[in-house]
Amino acid sequence: MDADLERLIRLQQIDSAAEAARRRIADHPSLVRSLDARLASATAALDDARAKLTDNQAARRAVEKDLAAIQSRLSKFKDQLMEVKTNKEYTAMQKEIEAAQNEVRRLEDLILERMLRHDELAGAQKAAEDRLAADKAAIAAERTQIEEETARLEREVAQAASARARLVTEISPGVLSTYETVRERRGTAVVEIRSGYCTACHVRIRPQVANELRRNEIIYQCDSCRRILYFPPLGPASAEEPAGAGR
Ligand SMILES: [Zn+2]
């Protein structure tokens, strides 16, 4: 294989790996934002559950206050009942008492409803607390994972940069310049030929040219996309060292 072509293939591998690492790093802020949003929503759910419980307690206290007032009115009515002089007054007072007793029953029912609702809301608050605690732990773990991955990817990008700096000094300036120009325009500059086609733009390479390229002895750019083409090594076995060699 042509020495420059071999180095360009390696350079492309380095650049592609670095680019993938950079893209992954660039995704991290949005991953962190979605974790923040998840935490905020679990916190809001707990705040909401607490507010509902507090509201229910306040509503129950208000009904209890009304009940106390009506009960004291009722006992006053009963005292007054002893003092009425006429049948007409007596009947009127009886009606007042009856109405007050109905109101007492209604308020007692309301209090019972609020007590049942309390149990329901206390359960919901407990569930929201548990969920928030679980989310906090999961989110902290994911955050750590993202931070570790960022650090690892940044190391990879730095290693790629130094490997690249070494490698480019070994490539002929003209060839390197072709590579950089194509990479700038196309993102990827070196691609394989497979089944006679450029694997990037899918244009067919003329059979005569493809035949010439088979030994990877020349730097050849695709007629259509200008990417530098090469034939991949035949099968994975060719890349492997013989078993036990040098050990
Ligand atoms: Zn092409």
Side-chain angles (χ1 to χ4, degrees):
M1 188 186 280
D2 177 79
D4 274 335
L5 182 58
E6 193 188 353
R7 287 171 191 138
L8 285 187
I9 293 166
R10 252 159 59 209
L11 184 58
Q12 182 62 69
Q13 283 162 352
I14 290 167
D15 284 345
S16 295
E19 182 54 29
R22 270 193 293 270
R23 271 199 210 127
R24 186 84 191 118
I25 291 170
D27 284 343
H28 286 175
S30 81
L31 292 178
V32 169
R33 275 197 299 278
S34 75
L35 291 182
D36 289 343
R38 212 170 107 197
L39 186 60
S41 120
T43 306
L46 177 57
D47 289 347
D48 184 52
R50 278 181 179 148
K52 278 184 180 147
L53 192 61
T54 306
D55 288 351
N56 188 62
Q57 280 165 334
R60 180 181 154 184
R61 275 195 295 274
V63 178
E64 282 169 345
K65 218 174 132 191
D66 289 349
L67 179 62
I70 197 91
Q71 274 167 336
S72 92
R73 229 160 78 209
L74 189 59
S75 74
K76 248 180 248 161
F77 288 154
K78 283 177 178 166
D79 291 344
Q80 285 166 8
L81 194 62
M82 308 300 170
E83 293 157 14
V84 294
K85 305 283 188 281
T86 66
N87 265 339
K88 203 183 163 191
E89 278 177 348
Y90 186 83
T91 310
M93 192 53 73
Q94 280 282 31
K95 268 191 181 161
E96 292 273 20
I97 288 171
E98 205 184 317
Q101 280 168 339
N102 285 339
E103 185 62 2
V104 164
R105 274 192 293 276
R106 192 182 71 83
L107 294 176
E108 280 172 348
D109 284 351
L110 277 183
I111 289 170
L112 188 62
E113 265 174 43
R114 291 294 178 183
M115 284 165 73
L116 293 173
R117 182 94 179 110
H118 175 91
D119 292 346
E120 207 177 283
L121 292 173
Q125 179 182 305
K126 176 74 175 65
E129 278 167 1
D130 291 350
R131 206 155 43 236
L132 177 60
D135 276 359
K136 268 185 180 166
I139 286 166
E142 281 181 49
R143 210 182 283 274
T144 304
Q145 211 178 357
I146 290 171
E147 283 163 6
E148 283 170 1
E149 197 189 25
T150 305
R152 180 176 60 75
L153 291 171
E154 277 168 355
R155 277 196 304 276
E156 280 178 23
V157 169
Q159 280 161 4
S162 64
R164 175 180 232 280
R166 271 195 311 276
L167 188 55
V168 291
T169 61
E170 298 167 13
I171 302 172
S172 313
V175 170
L176 181 61
S177 149
T178 301
Y179 174 92
E180 297 293 19
T181 305
V182 178
R183 193 169 79 98
E184 207 167 285
R185 283 180 44 208
R186 301 287 189 182
T188 308
V190 181
V191 298
E192 293 179 358
I193 300 174
R194 277 191 194 275
S195 312
Y197 290 87
C198 165
T199 50
C201 75
H202 308 293
V203 154
R204 187 171 170 75
I205 312 302
R206 277 174 290 132
Q208 197 187 339
V209 175
N211 225 17
E212 256 180 77
L213 299 179
R214 198 164 289 276
R215 288 193 305 136
N216 291 322
E217 289 294 356
I218 53 168
I219 307 282
Y220 181 84
Q221 292 176 263
C222 170
D223 289 337
S224 169
C225 70
R226 309 302 297 154
R227 289 185 180 88
I228 296 156
L229 299 172
Y230 74 98
F231 269 89
L234 293 171
S238 62
E240 274 172 23
E241 281 178 47
R247 305 269 159 111

